[in-house]
Amino acid sequence: MRKNSFSINFLIILTFLLNFQTVVFSEIMLLTGCKNLNDSFIKNEYILDLEKSLMIRNYVYDNKTYKKHKRTDLSIKKDNTLERFVYEEKNLIFTDRIGYPQFYTQLVFEKNNPIINIKTVINGEEAISKVSTCNNVELFEKES
C-alpha cells in the first residue's frame, strides 16, 4: 500500500513537472510620433521586439518628402515597413549593420529614451548623430 501511494505521488509530481511551462518575460518598446530631422512623415513609428531581436519601422511620407525622394529613387514607396535585426549591448539597442565593413550605419536606441541616433563608421572612425525624436515611448512586458 505504501509503495503504491509513493508511486502515485511520484507520477503526479512527474506529470506536473513535465507539463509545467516556464513563464518567459520579454520586452517590446514602441516609439511613436517620431519626428525626423531631414524628412517629414504622416506616420513614423518603431517597434522593437527584444525577444525576437527585431525592429519594425512603419512610416508614411508626406507629399513633399515623397516627391523629393521619388526624384532620385523610382522604387520609393509612400508608405512602407522595414524590418531589421537588433541586438543589445549594455543599455543600448543596435540594428544590424547596413553597408560594407569599411563603411556602415546602424540605428541606436536607448531604453525609455525618445531620441534615435545613427552610428556611422568609416574606416574604423565612428560618429553618432541624432536622427529622430519621438513623442511617445512605451515599454511593454510580454508574458508567454
Side-chain angles (χ1 to χ4, degrees):
M1 179 95 145
R2 234 169 208 235
K3 194 174 186 179
N4 235 0
S5 85
F6 176 76
S7 297
I8 291 173
N9 286 338
F10 180 75
L11 285 174
I12 291 172
I13 291 172
L14 183 64
T15 305
F16 176 74
L17 289 176
L18 291 176
N19 288 329
F20 182 73
Q21 295 179 347
T22 58
V23 177
V24 177
F25 291 99
S26 65
E27 285 184 323
I28 294 178
M29 191 165 103
L30 177 64
L31 298 106
T32 55
C34 301
K35 306 287 184 224
N36 192 290
L37 297 179
N38 300 320
D39 297 323
S40 18
F41 297 89
I42 295 170
K43 174 185 177 183
N44 192 19
E45 69 180 11
Y46 297 83
I47 303 165
L48 299 161
D49 189 333
L50 301 178
E51 176 189 15
K52 295 178 183 174
S53 299
L54 189 66
M55 176 205 76
I56 300 170
R57 178 183 179 210
N58 299 310
Y59 63 93
V60 178
Y61 289 120
D62 69 358
N63 286 331
K64 183 179 176 183
T65 302
Y66 175 67
K67 288 176 185 175
K68 176 179 87 172
H69 288 295
K70 190 71 173 174
R71 276 188 239 131
T72 58
D73 185 359
L74 295 176
S75 67
I76 202 89
K77 297 177 184 176
K78 187 166 184 169
D79 60 294
N80 207 350
T81 298
L82 292 174
E83 291 185 5
R84 298 279 187 258
F85 287 107
V86 294
Y87 64 93
E88 287 185 78
E89 208 172 89
K90 298 180 184 171
N91 196 30
L92 299 177
I93 302 163
F94 294 90
T95 60
D96 56 346
R97 295 175 178 179
I98 300 170
Y100 302 100
Q102 297 84 8
F103 170 75
Y104 65 88
T105 60
Q106 295 176 283
L107 290 179
V108 181
F109 301 89
E110 189 174 347
K111 287 187 182 178
N112 286 324
N113 190 345
I115 297 172
I116 301 171
N117 293 309
I118 189 165
K119 176 181 171 184
T120 306
V121 177
I122 301 174
N123 293 326
E125 297 291 323
E126 71 177 52
I128 295 180
S129 56
K130 182 176 158 182
V131 169
S132 191
T133 303
C134 301
N135 292 334
N136 195 16
V137 179
E138 296 178 78
L139 271 176
F140 299 98
E141 287 197 11
K142 186 170 76 173
E143 185 178 322
S144 60

